[in-house]
Amino acid sequence: MSADNLFQPPDALEREDATLAPYAMRTRDSRGRRHPEAPHPYRGLYQRDRDRIVHSTAFRRLMHKTQVLVSQTNDHHRTRLTHTLEVTQISRTIARQLGLNEDLTEAIALLHDLGHPAFGHAGEEALDECMAGHQGFEHNRHALRIVQTLEYRYAGFPGLNLSWEVLEAQAMHSKRRDDPEIKVFLTPPSPPSQGGAPGGWQPLLEAQIVDAADSLAYNAHDVDDALSVGLIPIADLDAVPFWKEAVERSRAKYPNLGPRQFQATIIRALIDWQVTDLLEHTRRNLREHRVGAVAHVRRCPQGLVGLSPEVVRLKAGLEDFLRERVYRHYRVMRMAAKGRRILHALFHEFLRLPDQLPERYRELLTVEAPQRIVCDYLAGMTDRFAQDEFLRLFQPYTLV
Ligand code: MG
Protein backbone atom coordinates (compact mmCIF):
# COMPACT_ATOMS: atom_id res chain seq x y z
CA MET A 1 0.00 0.00 0.00
CA SER A 2 1.44 3.35 -0.97
CA ALA A 3 1.50 6.28 1.38
CA ASP A 4 -1.15 7.96 -0.80
CA ASN A 5 -3.76 5.49 0.44
CA LEU A 6 -3.32 6.54 4.05
CA PHE A 7 -6.41 7.96 5.72
CA GLN A 8 -6.57 11.73 5.52
CA PRO A 9 -8.80 13.11 8.28
CA PRO A 10 -11.02 16.09 7.43
CA ASP A 11 -9.88 19.31 9.05
CA ALA A 12 -11.85 20.53 12.05
CA LEU A 13 -14.04 22.91 10.03
CA GLU A 14 -14.87 20.33 7.35
CA ARG A 15 -15.77 17.82 10.03
CA GLU A 16 -18.18 20.33 11.60
CA ASP A 17 -19.82 21.03 8.23
CA ALA A 18 -20.28 17.32 7.62
CA THR A 19 -21.68 16.36 11.03
CA LEU A 20 -23.44 19.31 12.68
CA ALA A 21 -27.13 20.29 12.66
CA PRO A 22 -27.93 23.82 11.43
CA TYR A 23 -28.59 24.99 15.01
CA ALA A 24 -25.18 23.80 16.30
CA MET A 25 -22.44 26.29 17.17
CA ARG A 26 -19.65 26.27 14.60
CA THR A 27 -16.02 27.21 15.07
CA ARG A 28 -16.14 29.59 12.13
CA ASP A 29 -18.84 31.65 13.92
CA SER A 30 -16.91 31.83 17.20
CA ARG A 31 -16.20 35.18 18.82
CA GLY A 32 -12.71 33.77 19.34
CA ARG A 33 -10.20 34.18 22.14
CA ARG A 34 -9.28 37.33 24.06
CA HIS A 35 -5.62 36.90 23.09
CA PRO A 36 -5.54 35.99 19.38
CA GLU A 37 -3.69 32.76 18.53
CA ALA A 38 -2.81 31.02 15.28
CA PRO A 39 -4.98 27.95 14.62
CA HIS A 40 -3.51 24.58 15.56
CA PRO A 41 -2.57 22.42 12.55
CA TYR A 42 -5.07 19.68 13.40
CA ARG A 43 -6.91 20.41 16.66
CA GLY A 44 -10.03 22.57 16.43
CA LEU A 45 -10.77 25.62 18.60
CA TYR A 46 -13.02 23.81 21.09
CA GLN A 47 -10.83 20.70 21.15
CA ARG A 48 -8.01 22.90 22.35
CA ASP A 49 -10.27 24.46 24.99
CA ARG A 50 -11.14 20.97 26.24
CA ASP A 51 -7.47 19.97 26.34
CA ARG A 52 -6.46 23.11 28.21
CA ILE A 53 -9.11 22.51 30.86
CA VAL A 54 -8.04 18.88 31.35
CA HIS A 55 -4.39 19.92 31.69
CA SER A 56 -5.10 22.66 34.23
CA THR A 57 -4.16 22.36 37.90
CA ALA A 58 -7.67 23.34 38.96
CA PHE A 59 -9.10 20.38 37.02
CA ARG A 60 -6.84 17.85 38.75
CA ARG A 61 -7.82 19.27 42.12
CA LEU A 62 -11.45 18.31 41.48
CA MET A 63 -10.31 14.77 42.32
CA HIS A 64 -10.16 15.68 46.01
CA LYS A 65 -13.10 18.06 46.27
CA THR A 66 -16.48 17.18 47.76
CA GLN A 67 -19.53 16.61 45.63
CA VAL A 68 -21.87 15.76 48.53
CA LEU A 69 -19.73 13.47 50.71
CA VAL A 70 -16.25 14.58 51.79
CA SER A 71 -13.41 12.66 50.22
CA GLN A 72 -12.50 10.63 53.29
CA THR A 73 -15.94 8.96 53.49
CA ASN A 74 -14.78 6.06 51.32
CA ASP A 75 -12.97 5.48 48.03
CA HIS A 76 -15.85 4.94 45.63
CA HIS A 77 -18.41 7.68 46.04
CA ARG A 78 -18.46 10.62 43.61
CA THR A 79 -16.01 13.44 43.90
CA ARG A 80 -16.24 16.70 42.00
CA LEU A 81 -14.02 15.10 39.33
CA THR A 82 -16.03 11.93 38.73
CA HIS A 83 -19.24 13.98 38.79
CA THR A 84 -17.71 16.21 36.10
CA LEU A 85 -16.78 13.18 33.99
CA GLU A 86 -20.30 11.74 34.28
CA VAL A 87 -21.82 15.07 33.27
CA THR A 88 -19.40 15.26 30.35
CA GLN A 89 -20.18 11.85 28.94
CA ILE A 90 -23.95 12.32 29.30
CA SER A 91 -23.63 15.75 27.64
CA ARG A 92 -21.63 14.27 24.75
CA THR A 93 -24.21 11.55 24.20
CA ILE A 94 -26.96 14.16 23.96
CA ALA A 95 -24.86 16.50 21.78
CA ARG A 96 -24.07 13.74 19.31
CA GLN A 97 -27.70 12.66 19.08
CA LEU A 98 -28.89 16.21 18.41
CA GLY A 99 -26.10 17.01 15.95
CA LEU A 100 -24.61 19.63 18.24
CA ASN A 101 -20.96 20.58 18.60
CA GLU A 102 -19.57 17.76 20.74
CA ASP A 103 -16.16 19.37 21.28
CA LEU A 104 -17.74 22.58 22.54
CA THR A 105 -20.18 20.63 24.73
CA GLU A 106 -17.32 18.64 26.20
CA ALA A 107 -15.29 21.76 27.02
CA ILE A 108 -18.30 23.43 28.69
CA ALA A 109 -19.01 20.30 30.75
CA LEU A 110 -15.41 19.81 31.87
CA LEU A 111 -15.30 23.44 32.98
CA HIS A 112 -18.71 23.63 34.67
CA ASP A 113 -17.61 22.87 38.28
CA LEU A 114 -14.00 24.07 38.11
CA GLY A 115 -14.67 26.99 40.47
CA HIS A 116 -16.04 24.92 43.34
CA PRO A 117 -14.07 25.17 46.59
CA ALA A 118 -13.56 22.32 49.06
CA PHE A 119 -16.53 20.90 51.04
CA GLY A 120 -19.20 21.34 48.35
CA HIS A 121 -21.93 23.95 48.67
CA ALA A 122 -21.10 24.47 52.34
CA GLY A 123 -17.62 25.56 51.24
CA GLU A 124 -19.06 27.95 48.71
CA GLU A 125 -21.40 29.49 51.29
CA ALA A 126 -18.57 29.84 53.79
CA LEU A 127 -16.37 31.72 51.32
CA ASP A 128 -19.31 33.91 50.30
CA GLU A 129 -19.85 34.81 53.97
CA CYS A 130 -16.12 35.55 54.41
CA MET A 131 -16.19 37.78 51.34
CA ALA A 132 -19.28 39.80 52.37
CA GLY A 133 -18.54 43.41 51.48
CA HIS A 134 -15.81 42.30 49.03
CA GLN A 135 -17.93 41.13 46.06
CA GLY A 136 -18.70 37.78 47.70
CA PHE A 137 -17.86 34.39 46.26
CA GLU A 138 -19.70 32.32 43.66
CA HIS A 139 -18.34 29.21 41.94
CA ASN A 140 -19.30 30.11 38.37
CA ARG A 141 -17.62 33.48 38.63
CA HIS A 142 -14.63 31.90 40.32
CA ALA A 143 -14.28 29.37 37.48
CA LEU A 144 -14.00 32.33 35.10
CA ARG A 145 -11.36 33.86 37.36
CA ILE A 146 -9.37 30.60 37.35
CA VAL A 147 -9.37 30.24 33.57
CA GLN A 148 -8.83 33.94 32.84
CA THR A 149 -6.38 34.93 35.58
CA LEU A 150 -5.22 32.36 38.11
CA GLU A 151 -3.85 29.49 35.99
CA TYR A 152 -0.33 30.33 34.85
CA ARG A 153 0.72 27.65 32.38
CA TYR A 154 1.11 29.63 29.15
CA ALA A 155 3.86 32.03 28.18
CA GLY A 156 1.68 34.14 25.86
CA PHE A 157 -1.28 34.96 28.11
CA PRO A 158 -2.69 34.69 31.64
CA GLY A 159 -5.14 31.86 32.33
CA LEU A 160 -6.13 29.39 29.61
CA ASN A 161 -7.31 31.90 26.97
CA LEU A 162 -10.46 29.86 26.27
CA SER A 163 -12.88 30.72 23.48
CA TRP A 164 -15.74 33.15 24.07
CA GLU A 165 -18.45 30.47 23.83
CA VAL A 166 -16.99 28.32 26.63
CA LEU A 167 -16.60 31.34 28.93
CA GLU A 168 -20.06 32.61 28.02
CA ALA A 169 -21.64 29.26 28.93
CA GLN A 170 -20.02 29.45 32.36
CA ALA A 171 -21.08 33.07 32.87
CA MET A 172 -24.68 32.40 31.83
CA HIS A 173 -24.87 29.73 34.51
CA SER A 174 -24.19 32.34 37.19
CA LYS A 175 -26.98 33.91 39.19
CA ARG A 176 -24.89 37.04 39.76
CA ARG A 177 -25.71 38.57 36.42
CA ASP A 178 -24.95 42.13 37.50
CA ASP A 179 -21.32 41.40 38.42
CA PRO A 180 -19.06 43.02 35.82
CA GLU A 181 -17.08 39.75 35.26
CA ILE A 182 -20.34 37.99 34.39
CA LYS A 183 -22.12 40.82 32.59
CA VAL A 184 -19.44 41.12 29.93
CA PHE A 185 -20.41 37.66 28.61
CA LEU A 186 -24.14 38.30 28.56
CA THR A 187 -24.09 40.80 25.73
CA PRO A 188 -25.02 39.78 22.19
CA PRO A 189 -22.31 40.53 19.61
CA SER A 190 -22.63 43.83 17.83
CA PRO A 191 -23.70 43.78 15.03
CA PRO A 192 -25.86 40.82 16.15
CA SER A 193 -24.42 38.26 13.74
CA GLN A 194 -25.73 35.43 15.90
CA GLY A 195 -29.20 36.94 16.11
CA GLY A 196 -29.01 38.82 19.40
CA ALA A 197 -32.05 40.78 20.46
CA PRO A 198 -32.70 42.45 23.81
CA GLY A 199 -34.57 40.25 26.25
CA GLY A 200 -34.09 37.05 24.29
CA TRP A 201 -30.46 36.05 24.49
CA GLN A 202 -30.48 32.35 25.35
CA PRO A 203 -27.42 30.16 25.99
CA LEU A 204 -26.24 28.01 23.09
CA LEU A 205 -27.84 24.56 22.90
CA GLU A 206 -24.43 23.09 23.80
CA ALA A 207 -24.56 25.04 27.10
CA GLN A 208 -28.21 24.17 27.74
CA ILE A 209 -27.36 20.47 27.39
CA VAL A 210 -24.65 20.62 30.03
CA ASP A 211 -27.02 22.32 32.45
CA ALA A 212 -29.60 19.57 31.98
CA ALA A 213 -27.01 16.77 32.13
CA ASP A 214 -25.56 18.21 35.35
CA SER A 215 -28.91 18.07 37.07
CA LEU A 216 -29.90 14.58 35.93
CA ALA A 217 -26.44 13.20 36.69
CA TYR A 218 -26.30 14.45 40.26
CA ASN A 219 -29.82 13.35 41.10
CA ALA A 220 -28.97 9.82 40.02
CA HIS A 221 -25.50 9.59 41.56
CA ASP A 222 -26.47 11.27 44.82
CA VAL A 223 -29.07 8.53 45.38
CA ASP A 224 -26.47 5.92 44.45
CA ASP A 225 -23.87 7.33 46.88
CA ALA A 226 -26.40 7.81 49.68
CA LEU A 227 -27.38 4.13 49.40
CA SER A 228 -23.80 2.93 49.11
CA VAL A 229 -22.58 4.66 52.25
CA GLY A 230 -25.73 3.73 54.18
CA LEU A 231 -27.31 7.16 54.65
CA ILE A 232 -30.70 5.75 53.62
CA PRO A 233 -32.18 2.24 53.51
CA ILE A 234 -33.10 1.24 49.97
CA ALA A 235 -36.70 0.39 50.97
CA ASP A 236 -37.36 4.07 51.78
CA LEU A 237 -37.07 4.87 48.08
CA ASP A 238 -40.28 2.95 47.40
CA ALA A 239 -42.06 6.13 48.49
CA VAL A 240 -40.49 7.98 45.52
CA PRO A 241 -42.62 7.45 42.35
CA PHE A 242 -39.67 8.03 39.97
CA TRP A 243 -37.62 5.30 41.68
CA LYS A 244 -40.59 2.94 41.95
CA GLU A 245 -41.37 3.27 38.25
CA ALA A 246 -37.69 2.71 37.36
CA VAL A 247 -37.75 -0.46 39.49
CA GLU A 248 -40.85 -1.72 37.68
CA ARG A 249 -39.34 -1.02 34.27
CA SER A 250 -36.10 -2.77 35.25
CA ARG A 251 -37.89 -5.80 36.66
CA ALA A 252 -39.89 -6.10 33.44
CA LYS A 253 -36.65 -6.03 31.45
CA TYR A 254 -34.65 -8.27 33.80
CA PRO A 255 -37.08 -10.64 35.57
CA ASN A 256 -34.17 -12.34 37.37
CA LEU A 257 -32.59 -9.12 38.61
CA GLY A 258 -30.63 -10.09 41.73
CA PRO A 259 -29.74 -7.96 44.77
CA ARG A 260 -26.12 -7.49 43.70
CA GLN A 261 -26.96 -5.65 40.47
CA PHE A 262 -30.22 -4.11 41.70
CA GLN A 263 -29.00 -0.67 42.76
CA ALA A 264 -26.77 -0.06 39.75
CA THR A 265 -29.52 -1.23 37.39
CA ILE A 266 -32.07 1.22 38.80
CA ILE A 267 -29.60 4.11 38.74
CA ARG A 268 -28.78 3.28 35.12
CA ALA A 269 -32.50 3.07 34.28
CA LEU A 270 -33.08 6.51 35.82
CA ILE A 271 -30.30 8.06 33.74
CA ASP A 272 -31.32 6.33 30.51
CA TRP A 273 -34.96 7.26 31.01
CA GLN A 274 -34.11 10.93 31.54
CA VAL A 275 -31.66 11.14 28.64
CA THR A 276 -34.14 9.49 26.25
CA ASP A 277 -36.96 11.73 27.47
CA LEU A 278 -34.75 14.80 27.17
CA LEU A 279 -33.84 13.94 23.58
CA GLU A 280 -37.48 13.41 22.59
CA HIS A 281 -38.75 16.53 24.33
CA THR A 282 -35.91 18.71 23.05
CA ARG A 283 -36.46 17.50 19.46
CA ARG A 284 -40.13 18.39 19.84
CA ASN A 285 -39.18 21.88 21.06
CA LEU A 286 -36.78 22.36 18.15
CA ARG A 287 -39.53 21.38 15.69
CA GLU A 288 -42.24 23.48 17.33
CA HIS A 289 -40.08 26.59 17.41
CA ARG A 290 -38.82 25.88 13.86
CA VAL A 291 -35.23 26.21 15.04
CA GLY A 292 -32.97 26.16 12.00
CA ALA A 293 -30.01 28.27 13.09
CA VAL A 294 -28.05 29.41 16.13
CA ALA A 295 -29.77 32.79 15.72
CA HIS A 296 -33.15 31.12 16.42
CA VAL A 297 -31.78 29.44 19.56
CA ARG A 298 -30.53 32.80 20.79
CA ARG A 299 -33.82 34.60 20.17
CA CYS A 300 -36.10 31.99 21.64
CA PRO A 301 -38.14 33.30 24.61
CA GLN A 302 -37.05 30.28 26.68
CA GLY A 303 -34.55 27.43 26.74
CA LEU A 304 -35.12 24.59 24.27
CA VAL A 305 -33.37 21.72 26.04
CA GLY A 306 -35.49 20.04 28.68
CA LEU A 307 -37.48 17.10 29.99
CA SER A 308 -41.17 16.43 29.39
CA PRO A 309 -43.59 17.80 32.05
CA GLU A 310 -44.19 14.23 33.27
CA VAL A 311 -40.50 13.55 33.92
CA VAL A 312 -39.99 17.03 35.37
CA ARG A 313 -42.66 16.17 37.94
CA LEU A 314 -41.15 12.77 38.74
CA LYS A 315 -37.66 14.24 39.00
CA ALA A 316 -38.93 16.95 41.38
CA GLY A 317 -40.22 14.19 43.69
CA LEU A 318 -36.79 12.58 43.75
CA GLU A 319 -35.18 15.96 44.45
CA ASP A 320 -37.52 16.53 47.41
CA PHE A 321 -36.47 13.16 48.79
CA LEU A 322 -32.78 13.95 48.32
CA ARG A 323 -33.15 17.33 50.00
CA GLU A 324 -34.91 15.96 53.05
CA ARG A 325 -33.22 12.60 53.47
CA VAL A 326 -29.71 13.00 52.05
CA TYR A 327 -28.55 16.63 51.89
CA ARG A 328 -29.93 17.24 55.39
CA HIS A 329 -28.80 13.90 56.84
CA TYR A 330 -26.98 14.48 60.11
CA ARG A 331 -23.75 12.96 58.77
CA VAL A 332 -23.83 15.23 55.72
CA MET A 333 -24.66 18.22 57.96
CA ARG A 334 -21.65 17.43 60.15
CA MET A 335 -19.33 17.26 57.16
CA ALA A 336 -20.72 20.56 55.89
CA ALA A 337 -20.47 22.28 59.28
CA LYS A 338 -16.91 21.10 59.77
CA GLY A 339 -15.94 22.26 56.30
CA ARG A 340 -17.43 25.71 56.90
CA ARG A 341 -15.65 25.98 60.25
CA ILE A 342 -12.31 25.10 58.67
CA LEU A 343 -12.67 27.63 55.84
CA HIS A 344 -13.85 30.41 58.17
CA ALA A 345 -10.94 29.79 60.52
CA LEU A 346 -8.38 29.69 57.70
CA PHE A 347 -9.79 32.82 56.07
CA HIS A 348 -9.66 34.93 59.20
CA GLU A 349 -6.25 33.66 60.25
CA PHE A 350 -4.67 34.38 56.84
CA LEU A 351 -6.33 37.77 56.73
CA ARG A 352 -5.09 38.56 60.24
CA LEU A 353 -1.53 37.72 59.23
CA PRO A 354 -1.14 37.46 55.42
CA ASP A 355 2.60 36.76 55.81
CA GLN A 356 1.56 33.15 56.49
CA LEU A 357 0.47 32.81 52.86
CA PRO A 358 2.75 30.88 50.46
CA GLU A 359 5.12 33.01 48.37
CA ARG A 360 3.03 33.16 45.19
CA TYR A 361 -0.01 34.51 47.05
CA ARG A 362 2.07 36.94 49.11
CA GLU A 363 3.32 38.45 45.86
CA LEU A 364 -0.25 38.96 44.68
CA LEU A 365 -1.06 41.01 47.79
CA THR A 366 0.49 44.01 46.06
CA VAL A 367 -1.94 43.64 43.13
CA GLU A 368 -5.31 42.96 44.76
CA ALA A 369 -7.15 43.28 48.08
CA PRO A 370 -5.96 40.78 50.71
CA GLN A 371 -9.51 39.38 51.06
CA ARG A 372 -9.56 38.36 47.38
CA ILE A 373 -6.08 36.83 47.52
CA VAL A 374 -6.88 34.81 50.65
CA CYS A 375 -10.16 33.75 49.03
CA ASP A 376 -8.31 32.61 45.86
CA TYR A 377 -5.92 30.56 47.97
CA LEU A 378 -8.73 28.96 49.94
CA ALA A 379 -10.96 28.34 46.91
CA GLY A 380 -8.16 26.41 45.23
CA MET A 381 -7.75 24.02 48.16
CA THR A 382 -8.96 20.44 48.04
CA ASP A 383 -10.82 18.99 51.05
CA ARG A 384 -7.75 17.29 52.40
CA PHE A 385 -5.38 20.20 51.76
CA ALA A 386 -7.75 22.53 53.65
CA GLN A 387 -7.85 20.09 56.57
CA ASP A 388 -4.06 19.72 56.55
CA GLU A 389 -3.62 23.47 56.37
CA PHE A 390 -5.99 23.85 59.32
CA LEU A 391 -3.84 21.43 61.34
CA ARG A 392 -0.64 23.21 60.29
CA LEU A 393 -1.98 26.56 61.50
CA PHE A 394 -3.92 25.58 64.61
CA GLN A 395 -2.64 22.26 65.91
CA PRO A 396 0.39 22.48 68.21
CA TYR A 397 3.26 20.10 67.44
CA THR A 398 2.46 19.60 63.74
CA LEU A 399 4.87 20.37 60.94
CA VAL A 400 4.25 23.75 59.34
MG1 MG B 1 -22.08 20.03 38.54
Side-chain angles (χ1 to χ4, degrees):
M1 191 159 84
S2 79
D4 294 332
N5 292 335
L6 282 177
F7 173 68
Q8 282 296 322
D11 79 12
L13 297 181
E14 288 168 2
R15 182 194 280 275
E16 286 186 356
D17 287 337
T19 58
L20 296 187
Y23 40 73
M25 181 66 202
R26 282 165 165 72
T27 299
R28 66 164 57 89
D29 297 325
S30 171
R31 290 167 79 174
R33 305 185 188 284
R34 174 174 288 176
H35 305 278
E37 294 178 52
H40 189 273
Y42 49 87
R43 284 185 305 151
L45 179 77
Y46 302 127
Q47 271 182 290
R48 291 176 90 184
D49 285 348
R50 172 201 62 197
D51 298 349
R52 288 175 188 192
I53 295 163
V54 170
H55 287 276
S56 69
T57 307
F59 186 77
R60 286 190 298 279
R61 286 177 177 167
L62 296 176
M63 178 159 51
H64 298 291
K65 289 192 179 192
T66 292
Q67 179 63 27
V68 172
L69 304 166
V70 296
S71 43
Q72 287 94 338
T73 308
N74 67 25
D75 285 346
H76 11 89
H77 64 77
R78 272 69 172 188
T79 65
R80 208 43 85 175
L81 180 67
T82 63
H83 160 72
T84 296
L85 296 177
E86 289 187 26
V87 172
T88 303
Q89 56 96 346
I90 292 171
S91 301
R92 286 182 57 192
T93 298
I94 297 168
R96 196 181 293 185
Q97 282 302 305
L98 295 176
L100 295 171
N101 195 317
E102 200 172 323
D103 292 333
L104 172 59
T105 306
E106 190 176 13
I108 293 170
L110 290 168
L111 176 62
H112 91 280
D113 269 354
L114 205 73
H116 267 290
F119 312 121
H121 287 287
E124 181 172 24
E125 282 167 17
L127 286 185
D128 193 36
E129 288 156 10
C130 292
M131 292 298 285
H134 302 276
Q135 286 94 47
F137 178 86
E138 194 253 348
H139 77 92
N140 291 299
R141 196 184 61 191
H142 191 66
L144 290 171
R145 183 165 166 81
I146 291 170
V147 299
Q148 291 182 286
T149 310
L150 298 178
E151 287 278 332
Y152 52 98
R153 319 177 55 77
Y154 297 91
F157 43 78
L160 308 181
N161 200 27
L162 302 177
S163 64
W164 176 280
E165 290 70 34
V166 175
L167 299 174
E168 183 211 70
Q170 190 69 26
M172 287 187 123
H173 206 235
S174 174
K175 292 186 179 68
R176 302 198 181 182
R177 298 191 145 223
D178 290 330
D179 289 1
E181 303 96 319
I182 298 295
K183 218 172 183 172
V184 69
F185 291 107
L186 306 184
T187 50
S190 177
S193 59
Q194 290 177 26
W201 187 244
Q202 294 294 334
L204 293 166
L205 290 172
E206 287 81 355
Q208 294 185 34
I209 284 178
V210 174
D211 215 14
D214 184 23
S215 172
L216 76 86
Y218 68 65
N219 280 332
H221 68 48
D222 288 352
V223 176
D224 198 25
D225 285 345
L227 289 170
S228 296
V229 304
L231 295 185
I232 44 170
I234 200 159
D236 288 12
L237 279 158
D238 287 345
V240 179
F242 204 11
W243 177 269
K244 211 159 181 275
E245 170 79 21
V247 171
E248 279 161 25
R249 288 178 175 211
S250 301
R251 288 225 185 273
K253 198 170 171 188
Y254 306 105
N256 300 321
L257 181 61
R260 191 153 287 175
Q261 280 82 35
F262 181 78
Q263 185 179 319
T265 303
I266 310 308
I267 298 297
R268 194 163 49 244
L270 282 172
I271 294 174
D272 191 59
W273 181 1
Q274 291 179 83
V275 171
T276 306
D277 180 83
L278 183 132
L279 286 170
E280 283 168 10
H281 190 69
T282 302
R283 283 196 181 107
R284 191 173 313 149
N285 286 343
L286 292 168
R287 266 197 307 274
E288 266 173 27
H289 290 269
R290 299 173 192 277
V291 177
V294 172
H296 301 160
V297 176
R298 293 298 208 177
R299 277 200 300 262
C300 229
Q302 73 274 319
L304 291 156
V305 174
L307 299 162
S308 66
E310 160 76 353
V311 175
V312 166
R313 190 179 57 77
L314 288 166
K315 184 167 175 282
L318 178 63
E319 284 166 353
D320 288 344
F321 179 88
L322 280 167
R323 207 172 304 116
E324 284 161 30
R325 299 293 309 281
V326 177
Y327 305 144
R328 298 193 56 77
H329 191 283
Y330 81 94
R331 283 172 60 197
V332 175
M333 297 299 284
R334 284 183 188 185
M335 295 176 209
K338 184 153 77 172
R340 290 173 93 104
R341 208 152 53 230
I342 290 171
L343 289 182
H344 271 286
L346 289 177
F347 184 87
H348 292 107
E349 180 59 15
F350 281 120
L351 201 59
R352 188 186 69 78
L353 190 56
D355 286 349
Q356 297 177 93
L357 285 166
E359 214 50 56
R360 171 171 145 72
Y361 289 89
R362 279 179 75 173
E363 285 165 14
L364 292 171
L365 288 168
T366 57
V367 187
E368 283 190 82
Q371 287 84 357
R372 182 57 59 191
I373 301 306
V374 171
C375 181
D376 285 343
Y377 181 47
L378 264 58
M381 292 179 183
T382 61
D383 296 356
R384 65 179 187 187
F385 186 88
Q387 294 178 73
D388 288 348
E389 195 76 332
F390 181 87
L391 293 178
R392 283 191 283 268
L393 290 191
F394 296 108
Q395 179 97 321
Y397 311 115
T398 39
L399 293 174
V400 293

